[in-house]
Amino acid sequence: VALNTQNLPEPSIKKPGSYFDTVIWTGTGSNITIPLGFNADLVWAKRRQVDDHVLNDSVRGEDKNLTSNSTAAESTTNYGLNFISTGNSIQLEGTGYFGGGGGGSPSFVAWCWDESATPGFDIVTYTGNGSANQVVNHSLGVTPNFVIIKARSLADNWNVFGSSFTRLILNQTTADLGNYPITRGASSITLPSISDSAWNSNGNTYVAYLWSEV
């Protein structure tokens, strides 16, 4: 059976699981290894009960945690998640939070991304300079459609920018604020025209997660 009847080009990613995966596990109190089809660079994990969302990534470093439902600054709490140098898997320490070290056989979910231009995902860290329109370089090679920025060294909101909206606050329920957009380009983004502690306070550190369509 000819599936490609319109002679469409082959997709650049034939197996999405080679770059992104969702995994679910139950904590046992023992070390756990969860296989992936790639080396994860961003792990966004959540206990499937009332608890924080926790983000770890390979650029900021292991045990550098951010919580997307909170304004909290980056912490170094050990959640027992090791993914930076373990190859195509996530390793969970049984005595840590994600390994179920607190007891009770809790259930968890994690969304995992590989960082590269092929799947259209980049992680960038930068230091604010307190000036309007600071330029932050990225390596996607195309214009990102979706950008999340979070202050690391101080408590502030998660700001989200997109191609179909102006600015949302991830940790709030507010609608599109409609102000302070970023300028998105193939090699860089330009921060809003006003300097704000949420994205460009002088001397403070930030992380930006950028996605492009593929």
Side-chain angles (χ1 to χ4, degrees):
V1 178
L3 299 179
N4 193 358
T5 58
Q6 300 180 25
N7 294 317
L8 297 175
E10 291 289 338
S12 58
I13 297 177
K14 297 180 181 180
K15 295 182 178 180
S18 298
Y19 299 95
F20 170 81
D21 203 359
T22 304
V23 293
I24 295 174
W25 71 93
T26 299
T28 64
S30 300
N31 292 352
I32 304 170
T33 298
I34 300 174
L36 295 169
F38 55 90
N39 188 35
D41 289 298
L42 170 62
V43 176
W44 185 326
K46 172 76 170 69
R47 190 172 76 145
R48 297 171 71 190
Q49 291 86 26
V50 178
D51 218 323
D52 290 333
H53 292 251
V54 178
L55 283 78
N56 296 95
D57 65 68
S58 61
V59 175
R60 291 184 297 117
E62 204 159 319
D63 288 335
K64 301 294 185 181
N65 308 294
L66 290 168
T67 53
S68 62
N69 53 295
S70 167
T71 62
E74 183 179 270
S75 72
T76 55
T77 303
N78 181 6
Y79 282 88
L81 173 64
N82 183 323
F83 64 96
I84 293 175
S85 58
T86 57
N88 295 348
S89 65
I90 302 172
Q91 291 185 352
L92 306 166
E93 299 171 15
T95 57
Y97 173 77
F98 287 124
S105 299
S107 179
F108 298 88
V109 60
W111 300 274
C112 309
W113 285 266
D114 175 43
E115 179 201 22
S116 72
T118 300
F121 175 57
D122 197 14
I123 304 170
V124 177
T125 56
Y126 65 94
T127 300
N129 62 12
S131 301
N133 299 312
Q134 179 179 350
V135 174
V136 177
N137 295 324
H138 64 77
S139 58
L140 289 175
V142 295
T143 299
N145 300 91
F146 189 75
V147 179
I148 300 176
I149 295 177
K150 176 66 176 79
R152 300 172 58 192
S153 53
L154 77 164
D156 215 317
N157 290 320
W158 294 71
N159 279 260
V160 184
F161 308 88
S163 57
S164 58
F165 60 91
T166 303
R167 184 167 68 96
L168 297 170
I169 305 298
L170 184 63
N171 53 286
Q172 296 180 1
T173 60
T174 55
D176 185 353
L177 296 174
N179 60 359
Y180 306 142
I182 64 171
T183 301
R184 295 170 290 110
S187 61
S188 66
I189 59 172
T190 302
L191 301 178
S193 58
I194 181 173
S195 178
D196 188 277
S197 60
W199 54 73
N200 191 25
S201 178
N202 187 39
N204 282 298
T205 56
Y206 298 84
V207 61
Y209 301 113
L210 304 92
W211 285 267
S212 62
E213 294 179 354
V214 294

